[in-house]
Amino acid sequence: AISALLDGDSVQRSTTPKEFECPAPDCQERFAFKTDMEKHMRSAHVEIRFGCPNPGCEQQFSDTNEMRKHVQWCQQQALFRCPRCPRSFSLRRTLSTHLTTAHELSQAAANALLLSAIGIGGSDGGGSGGGGGGGG
């Protein structure tokens, strides 16, 4: 695939800026380094083979190293997972907003669900005392 498009006699680094031109049809990208062109070929012109395994993330990659970096980032960002759908959020308040808007929960119900998800609170009925659960 890629090797068929690349010239085997090319030097590893060009002596002039952006000497390596992408050999794919209708692509006019140019690169100073052969390795950068090869990375471009894999990411822009090769069939995508790897999907992020994190629930709710639909990011796809043709390069395992790029996927690995993304997965680490994605896991750090997804600290707060919605208990009702596959979405996840980096901030608790963003998940709370999601629960009240996407799942139409009152703020009190969203807070209770968040607390039960992390093991705080229980069946004793104790709450934040916020009152007024109107969901306008």
Side-chain angles (χ1 to χ4, degrees), residues 16-133:
T16 59
K18 300 195 175 188
E19 181 179 310
F20 295 101
E21 185 176 347
C22 177
D26 299 326
C27 183
Q28 298 174 1
E29 292 286 328
R30 297 183 70 82
F31 304 90
F33 297 94
K34 183 178 179 182
T35 54
D36 290 343
M37 182 189 62
E38 290 169 343
K39 183 177 179 181
H40 162 78
M41 290 291 299
R42 285 191 302 273
S43 64
H45 302 295
V46 176
E47 183 177 326
I48 293 172
R49 297 180 303 244
F50 310 104
C52 179
N54 292 314
C57 182
E58 298 176 5
Q59 197 74 15
Q60 295 185 328
F61 303 89
S62 59
D63 183 304
T64 55
N65 290 329
E66 292 299 315
M67 184 190 72
R68 202 171 295 130
K69 284 190 265 184
H70 166 81
V71 168
Q72 290 174 347
W73 175 86
C74 196
Q75 288 171 341
Q76 291 171 356
Q77 299 304 308
L79 299 176
F80 298 96
R81 298 191 190 284
C82 178
R84 298 217 168 165
C85 74
R87 302 252 346 245
S88 57
F89 305 89
S90 59
L91 299 173
R92 183 180 181 271
R93 70 175 177 257
T94 310
L95 172 56
S96 179
T97 300
H98 165 76
L99 287 168
T100 58
T101 56
H103 300 294
E104 299 180 352
L105 296 179
S106 68
Q107 190 62 56
N111 289 339
L113 189 59
L114 289 172
L115 292 175
S116 68
I118 59 173
I120 298 175
S123 59
D124 65 340
S128 63

